[in-house]
Amino acid sequence: EYDKFTDLDEKILKILRDKNMPPVVVVANKADNENSKMEAFSLPVVNTFDAFFPISVSHHAWFAEMKEFIAQNLKTRGHNYFVEDLDESFIKLALVGRPNVGKSSLINSIVGKNRVMVKDLAGTTRDSIDTKFHYNEKDFVLIDTAGIRRLSKIGTRNIENWSVMRTERSITRADVVAVIVDGVDGIHQQDLSVISRVLEEKKWLIIVINKWDAVLAKENIDKEKIMGRYLTYLSEKFDFLPWVSVIFTSAIERKRVEEILETAILIDNERKNKRVKTSIFNGFIEQAVVKHPPTGNRVAHKPRIYYGSQVDVNPPKFVLTVNNPEHFHFSYKRYLENKIRDNFWFAGTPIIIEYKGRGKTKDMTK
């Protein structure tokens, strides 16, 4: 405390001087206003160590300079954030989900020596470990993740904020995101929020229903029908379910864990490599329009599609040249997306569809 510098404080600081310690920052707390902050600079330790900062914890004041000094010092010592450069041959897989859904057990099952051969461990950040491994002739990077908590339950100064940010960063860094759901507890709002975040980032999505052994262990369970009923339950929660891969796993019993990797490989090919030839796509569009002509928004104008093509991958993107994007009813997007999936699949990945006409473009992913 800036106004209560005691003999014990002096003894502690003397130890730090004598031990040739790394950079030492002295922080004087309870500098609750400008006057007390200036008074703190009269303490005898101001110019003794590497830095001195008067702060006020109760008022959460005067922290900026201290944080900047610490951050710059850590950077000079090699502790700055960095991301390893991984080429497109790697599938970057993140397992995310609420606490206690079995993420750690699934990770252990995936990287266990009896499952895959781990090539090496590489820290791409100083606070997380990414595991590189090889499975079925494909290179993977399993991105470290933290449990997701509902943001409303986390105080702004709570250290768990970092866990939430780290999980969001994992989603951003990943190619494939496997959202782990507790099969016994079912879908929570937190699960829906996480999946929404994955979709916003246009990532490949796998839904993993874990603890399936506990589900089957319940009394009066029809084991032959329960999986179908669960899929029906999921379809009520997620209107995009038809293109999302759902895997029922038991991390404890190591059942169907490898399906996560096999599905990730399949989705990787669908997203990065699949291209529909323009001639084939236009033949498809012609048939789709004949079967269900576009519904218009304006009585005076009839929406028309002239031609289209796939213009990009990762994620797949289709552009349709039309008379006017504003003439199309929003529901026609869903029809075209469903027909594209029926004919060309594109499993596990969002599809971007745009209308383009008369200098206007309408993104149909929204």
Side-chain angles (χ1 to χ4, degrees):
E1 298 178 18
Y2 89 94
D3 59 345
K4 296 180 181 178
F5 188 76
T6 66
D7 291 340
L8 180 58
D9 293 323
E10 179 60 40
K11 289 179 180 179
I12 293 172
L13 294 174
K14 185 177 185 302
I15 293 172
L16 295 175
R17 290 191 201 99
D18 297 342
K19 292 294 183 179
N20 192 25
M21 300 290 288
V24 175
V25 177
V26 180
V27 179
N29 190 28
K30 298 191 177 180
D32 296 334
N33 53 54
E34 284 287 351
N35 289 334
S36 59
K37 180 183 178 183
M38 296 306 298
E39 290 174 6
F41 282 102
S42 65
L43 292 174
V45 293
V46 170
N47 297 314
T48 306
F49 294 94
D50 296 271
F52 175 83
F53 298 100
I55 65 168
S56 173
V57 172
S58 62
H59 292 76
H60 201 67
W62 328 118
F63 280 89
E65 292 181 358
M66 180 183 68
K67 290 180 179 179
E68 179 64 22
F69 175 86
I70 293 173
Q72 291 299 325
N73 188 272
L74 289 173
K75 286 182 179 180
T76 60
R77 296 168 63 85
H79 296 287
N80 55 309
Y81 171 85
F82 71 98
V83 176
E84 185 177 358
D85 186 18
L86 298 170
D87 60 41
E88 287 294 314
S89 65
F90 283 88
I91 299 176
K92 290 172 282 185
L93 172 64
L95 274 61
V96 302
R98 294 181 291 113
N100 304 316
V101 295
K103 295 189 299 295
S104 296
S105 297
L106 284 170
I107 290 172
N108 291 336
S109 295
I110 287 173
V111 300
K113 290 183 179 179
N114 60 326
R115 291 279 167 178
V116 292
M117 183 175 66
V118 178
K119 296 173 64 176
D120 65 324
L121 299 177
T124 61
T125 67
R126 293 294 180 181
D127 66 301
S128 67
I129 297 296
D130 292 351
T131 304
K132 292 181 180 178
F133 62 89
H134 195 71
Y135 175 83
N136 274 6
E137 301 182 357
K138 288 293 289 187
D139 291 317
F140 278 81
V141 175
L142 190 61
I143 294 177
D144 181 274
T145 58
I148 290 179
R149 297 289 184 87
R150 189 176 303 172
L151 285 173
S152 62
K153 290 188 176 182
I154 300 177
T156 57
R157 301 178 192 178
N158 195 309
I159 195 170
E160 289 191 19
N161 269 338
W162 178 241
S163 294
V164 174
M165 289 188 294
R166 187 170 66 177
T167 301
E168 292 203 353
R169 188 177 67 198
S170 295
I171 293 174
T172 300
R173 292 177 55 215
D175 292 328
V176 182
V177 179
V179 178
I180 316 302
V181 175
D182 189 315
V184 177
D185 287 348
I187 304 298
H188 287 230
Q189 182 58 44
Q190 294 161 274
D191 301 317
L192 299 174
S193 298
V194 173
I195 290 173
S196 295
R197 178 65 176 174
V198 175
L199 296 178
E200 288 174 7
E201 293 280 346
K202 297 291 190 296
K203 300 298 181 176
W204 322 342
L205 175 62
I206 301 172
I207 297 177
V208 178
I209 310 300
N210 194 32
K211 303 184 182 179
W212 196 244
D213 56 306
V215 174
L216 296 179
K218 287 185 175 182
E219 295 183 1
N220 301 320
I221 287 292
D222 188 334
K223 295 183 179 181
E224 294 183 359
K225 296 182 179 180
I226 183 59
M227 192 173 290
R229 290 175 179 173
Y230 212 97
L231 287 172
T232 300
Y233 162 70
L234 292 177
S235 67
E236 296 172 354
K237 297 289 185 178
F238 311 119
D239 59 1
F240 51 83
L241 187 64
W243 63 268
V244 176
S245 300
V246 180
I247 302 172
F248 297 86
T249 64
S250 172
I252 294 176
E253 297 181 355
R254 292 190 170 183
K255 289 184 176 180
R256 291 181 291 276
V257 174
E258 286 184 351
E259 286 189 23
I260 299 174
L261 304 180
E262 293 166 359
T263 302
I265 293 173
L266 175 64
I267 294 174
D268 179 70
N269 184 62
E270 289 282 299
R271 184 175 172 110
K272 290 181 180 177
N273 302 320
K274 178 176 283 190
R275 282 188 177 272
V276 180
K277 291 183 178 180
T278 300
S279 59
I280 294 176
F281 185 72
N282 278 292
F284 153 77
I285 285 294
E286 184 178 345
Q287 294 178 15
V289 169
V290 169
K291 186 173 182 179
H292 178 29
T295 304
N297 280 329
R298 301 177 182 179
V299 177
H301 299 282
K302 183 178 180 180
R304 294 185 60 186
I305 299 176
Y306 299 119
Y307 54 87
S309 64
Q310 183 180 351
V311 298
D312 205 354
V313 295
N314 198 24
K317 179 179 179 181
F318 297 87
V319 172
L320 301 175
T321 299
V322 301
N323 56 347
N324 191 319
E326 301 301 325
H327 294 175
F328 287 77
H329 192 270
F330 71 90
S331 63
Y332 204 64
K333 170 256 183 175
R334 178 56 55 87
Y335 167 72
L336 289 175
E337 180 178 339
N338 289 339
K339 297 302 291 184
I340 288 173
R341 294 190 187 280
D342 288 344
N343 284 265
F344 309 112
W345 201 18
F346 288 105
T349 178
I351 293 176
I352 298 175
I353 303 175
E354 290 183 357
Y355 290 151
K356 184 177 182 180
R358 297 181 183 178
K360 297 181 179 179
T361 301
K362 184 177 181 180
D363 186 347
M364 295 194 62
T365 63
K366 299 178 181 179

